[in-house]
Amino acid sequence: MSGGARRHLSRLSRALARRALLAVCLWHAGTAGAGERITAAGYAGPTSEYPHGVLGDAVEWKTLRVTAGNRVFEITAGDGRVFEDVAPRLWDITGDGEPEVVAVESDARLGARLVIYTLDQDGLRELAATPNIGTRFRWLAPVGAADLDGDGHTEIAWVDRPHLAKTLRIWRWKTGSFEQIARYPGVSNHRIGEDFISGGLRDCGAGPEMVLADAPWRGILALRLEDGVVSATPVAPFEGPESFEAALSCTPA
């Protein structure tokens, strides 16, 4: 796994300019057909209407574009909203083996929320979302999605205000419901101005762990969810992005 999600269509496209349009190759109007699965997603429609600049500049995105089969589907953030994000994520949230799209959307009055989109016969639609943080210019940074505690349901982990509150929050998708089940303070995965999100998920043979920095960015932690409780184990000192790369690859310090 990579040590951080970069602010680009793909983690491999780091050479692309920050302000470049996150493009897709094909556009055909219509509804999703049976058997079409989501294969790619990106942002388009750059805008400066939400000048937070937490990711290094004042440009965010108005449109989410999703590729399925030979077609591309779009959904546009509403009035006063933008996608304040490095790139949309293709994660299987419902456990059906097909990916959903997970994005960070910010509101001019209420700040950020995590949104899950799915594709059905009518096109893209919102499947679930967390509440907005509640205040303008307050952001969240996703960590990953997996069955973190072995209960057969998918959990999504994200850091609430990685520069201020520095709190890990874990939400579970279960039979159509989406609810917060755990939290853990004193962690971070982003520093103001960086165009990438650090850390992520790993499995070193004993089940999934979340890899994050401690609040002062002095050390790397591996966090586990068990019986609704999050525990943290120090992994290595933080000495730059390579510290996350080593931790995610299960390389001893």
Side-chain angles (χ1 to χ4, degrees):
M1 293 186 182
S2 169
R6 294 278 174 176
R7 193 171 194 176
H8 301 291
L9 178 61
S10 137
R11 292 181 181 181
L12 299 179
S13 58
R14 295 179 181 178
L16 295 177
R18 159 68 185 94
R19 294 173 183 268
L21 178 67
L22 294 179
V24 287
C25 298
L26 298 170
W27 165 253
H28 297 280
T31 58
E36 290 184 331
R37 76 189 304 266
I38 295 171
T39 56
Y43 295 125
T47 177
S48 58
E49 70 181 74
Y50 187 75
H52 189 191
V54 72
L55 290 163
D57 60 34
V59 178
E60 306 306 337
W61 310 100
K62 286 298 290 187
T63 301
L64 171 66
R65 284 181 173 173
V66 173
T67 304
N70 66 343
R71 289 181 284 183
V72 175
F73 301 86
E74 289 189 347
I75 193 165
T76 300
D79 291 344
R81 297 180 181 179
V82 299
F83 294 104
E84 187 180 17
D85 203 358
V86 297
R89 300 143 196 85
L90 302 187
W91 292 343
D92 179 13
I93 304 301
T94 61
D96 64 355
E98 299 294 333
E100 282 72 44
V101 182
V102 179
V104 179
E105 180 195 85
S106 291
D107 181 274
R109 295 182 301 106
L110 301 174
R113 65 173 185 157
L114 190 82
V115 188
I116 304 168
Y117 292 97
T118 189
L119 187 62
D120 60 21
Q121 66 273 13
D122 296 319
L124 278 174
R125 67 175 177 86
E126 182 180 311
L127 178 66
T130 64
N132 291 85
I133 289 172
T135 302
R136 174 180 174 87
F137 295 160
R138 296 295 182 264
W139 187 64
L140 64 87
V143 178
D147 181 0
L148 295 175
D149 57 359
D151 69 344
H153 302 287
T154 301
E155 285 81 34
I156 303 179
W158 48 275
V159 178
D160 176 1
R161 291 160 289 174
H163 325 114
L164 295 171
K166 300 183 179 181
T167 299
L168 173 69
R169 298 191 184 276
I170 300 175
W171 287 64
R172 176 179 291 144
W173 174 267
K174 183 178 181 181
T175 318
S177 67
F178 192 45
E179 62 180 352
Q180 182 175 290
I181 60 164
R183 62 186 294 275
Y184 189 89
V187 294
S188 183
N189 58 349
H190 184 265
R191 293 181 294 182
I192 292 174
E194 292 179 335
D195 67 350
F196 58 93
I197 296 170
S198 297
L201 298 182
R202 73 175 191 177
D203 189 336
C204 298
E209 296 176 307
M210 297 157 281
V211 176
L212 299 169
D214 59 21
W217 285 78
R218 296 193 184 113
I220 306 295
L221 304 175
L223 299 97
R224 286 183 167 275
L225 174 67
E226 296 179 304
D227 298 322
V229 177
V230 178
S231 60
T233 301
V235 172
F238 173 70
E239 298 174 340
E242 65 277 4
S243 301
F244 283 107
E245 298 286 354
L248 288 167
S249 65
C250 305
T251 303

